[in-house]
Amino acid sequence: SKNNPPQSYSLIIMDYQMPKMNGPQCCQQLTQLQTDGEIPRQTIVGHTAYCAEKDLKFFRNCGVADILAKPVSEEELDRIFKLW
């Protein structure tokens, strides 16, 4: 609600496979809420063990800005934090 705005984060790390709603579905909903002005723009980074190009392309098309492949190295996480 406008009286109690949602908390904003500068970076969201979204797992691909989650219970009830998967990462791509959630990214699509967040992107739509951002487009509609209901929540502030936030960078979404995908996190997945699915590394086939078709899976990565699908995740990117759902609104993620970047992708972290599992397992995540400290260097890769540091790169994401500095970039976004």
Side-chain angles (χ1 to χ4, degrees), residues 14-27 29:
M14 180 73 63
D15 198 11
Y16 191 102
Q17 189 167 356
M18 302 182 300
K20 297 185 183 179
M21 179 185 297
N22 67 33
Q25 291 168 328
C26 188
C27 286
Q29 286 193 8

Side-chain angles (χ1 to χ4, degrees), residues 31-80:
T31 300
Q32 187 61 54
L33 290 170
Q34 292 171 2
T35 300
D36 294 345
E38 293 188 39
I39 62 173
R41 293 264 173 212
Q42 299 162 321
T43 300
I44 304 171
V45 173
H47 184 227
T48 184
Y50 300 113
C51 292
E53 189 55 41
K54 68 179 180 95
D55 294 317
L56 298 177
K57 184 177 180 180
F58 177 69
F59 211 179
R60 283 188 191 97
N61 288 338
C62 290
V64 300
D66 208 335
I67 296 178
L68 284 167
K70 293 179 183 179
V72 178
S73 69
E74 189 174 326
E75 293 81 15
E76 186 65 4
L77 197 55
D78 188 50
R79 179 190 72 78
I80 291 292

